[in-house]
């Protein structure tokens, strides 16, 4: 069985707290009335859920959309490091527009912009 990478460092304390409160508030209850031990339980649940989500953000390149949608691409070059860039597939040239000779291994959807 393969071991999942540790993604906890990718989730800030603020994000975790926000997720735990949102999850509990969905139940029509006040987070501030909840016993501190129960709050810890909700934080643990959210940590597990968010860690699993983060572990699956990058998807195999074979599943990348080929419809011209913008995506983030990832490629590791031995001796040179990791590269991430925004690109679109060019159906006519059958290559990525920004880096047509690149061989990315993974992709992910472009995240939404920050809230105003």
């Amino acid at each position: 069985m393969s071991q999942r990478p540790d993604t906890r460092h990718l989730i800030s304390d603020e994000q975790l707290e926000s997720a735990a409160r949102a999850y509990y508030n969905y139940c029509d209850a006040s987070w501030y009335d909840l016993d501190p031990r129960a709050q810890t339980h909700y934080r643990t649940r959210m940590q597990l859920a968010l860690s699993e989500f983060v572990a699956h953000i990058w998807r195999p390149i074979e599943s990348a959309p080929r419809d011209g949608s913008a995506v983030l691409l990832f490629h590791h070059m031995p001796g040179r490091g990791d590269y991430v860039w925004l690109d679109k597939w060019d159906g006519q040239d059958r290559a990525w527009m920004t880096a047509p000779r690149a061989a990315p291994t993974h992709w992910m959807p472009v995240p939404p912009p920050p809230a105003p």
Side-chain angles (χ1 to χ4, degrees), residues 3 8 10 13-14 19-20 23 31 44 57 60 66 72-73 79 82 95-96 101 103 106 110:
Q3 190 171 356
R8 289 176 291 185
L10 298 174
D13 291 343
E14 293 81 19
Y23 179 71
W31 175 259
T44 300
I57 288 177
R66 301 290 201 251
L72 291 176
L73 298 175
D82 296 337
W96 297 104
R101 289 184 290 283
H106 292 79
V110 177

Side-chain angles (χ1 to χ4, degrees), residues 3-41:
Q3 190 171 356
R4 295 244 188 261
D6 185 0
T7 58
R8 289 176 291 185
H9 65 283
L10 298 174
I11 302 162
S12 72
D13 291 343
E14 293 81 19
Q15 290 169 318
L16 180 60
E17 189 70 16
S18 179
R21 286 181 187 178
Y23 179 71
Y24 190 72
N25 288 339
Y26 174 76
C27 302
D28 278 337
S30 170
W31 175 259
Y32 301 102
D33 293 338
L34 189 61
D35 179 89
R37 288 175 297 181
Q39 288 179 348
T40 299
H41 178 71

Side-chain angles (χ1 to χ4, degrees), residues 58 73-78 80-85 101-107:
W58 289 104
L73 298 175
F74 171 85
H75 180 68
H76 174 78
M77 295 179 71
R80 296 181 77 184
D82 296 337
Y83 292 86
V84 175
W85 69 97
R101 289 184 290 283
T105 58
H106 292 79
W107 76 280

